[in-house]
Amino acid sequence: MVIVTWAAPRFIAPLFNRFTAITDATLKERVEGLLRRCGYEAGGGVFVMDGSRRSAHGNAYFTGIGRNRRIVLFDTLLARIDLAEIEAVLAHELGHFRLHHVRQRLLTSLLSVLAALALLGWLARMPEYYSAFSLPKIPRWRCCCSR
């Protein structure tokens, strides 16, 4: 999960959408000013995504960890709102960074997966689990270390 969270912004997401740097000089100046005021180092940068290919919905998101973290603004969002509103949306996304929401979501996902695997391991030892789904009882496998 950590590797996917790190790799998704730079290697996976570009397979599905096009990401470009901000070309509007006024918008770029305001974005960079806000980032400086908030103490955010744009390791991965701020990008515009071609969200209009699939939807008219305007959105923005913050993703990634380390040098691959980035802020993405949908082109549909930029087309509908003015500079002050874009700055407000970006400030909201920076709030996610400041409050460590990416890290928290990653940790929550990891703990959820571990809990689900523990539950499945516990259920796998119960014959009732197999009979509830009309499955034959799976034999217990012995590890070479458990002799």
Side-chain angles (χ1 to χ4, degrees), residues 51-119:
S52 59
R53 285 185 4 184
R54 292 190 181 93
S55 171
H57 176 71
N59 199 5
Y61 64 91
F62 184 97
T63 188
I65 55 177
R67 289 189 338 218
N68 282 351
R69 69 176 185 233
R70 57 179 56 183
I71 297 172
V72 178
L73 303 167
F74 283 34
D75 59 351
T76 50
L77 181 75
L78 298 179
R80 281 194 283 184
I81 61 176
D82 65 20
L83 289 176
E85 291 171 316
I86 292 169
E87 198 171 8
V89 169
L90 183 57
H92 169 88
E93 295 307 316
L94 286 168
H96 290 300
F97 164 72
R98 177 69 91 199
L99 296 172
H100 307 287
H101 288 168
V102 173
R103 190 179 309 153
Q104 288 173 359
R105 180 156 300 192
L106 184 61
L107 183 61
T108 301
S109 297
L110 178 64
L111 293 174
S112 298
V113 167
L114 290 175
L117 290 173
L119 176 64

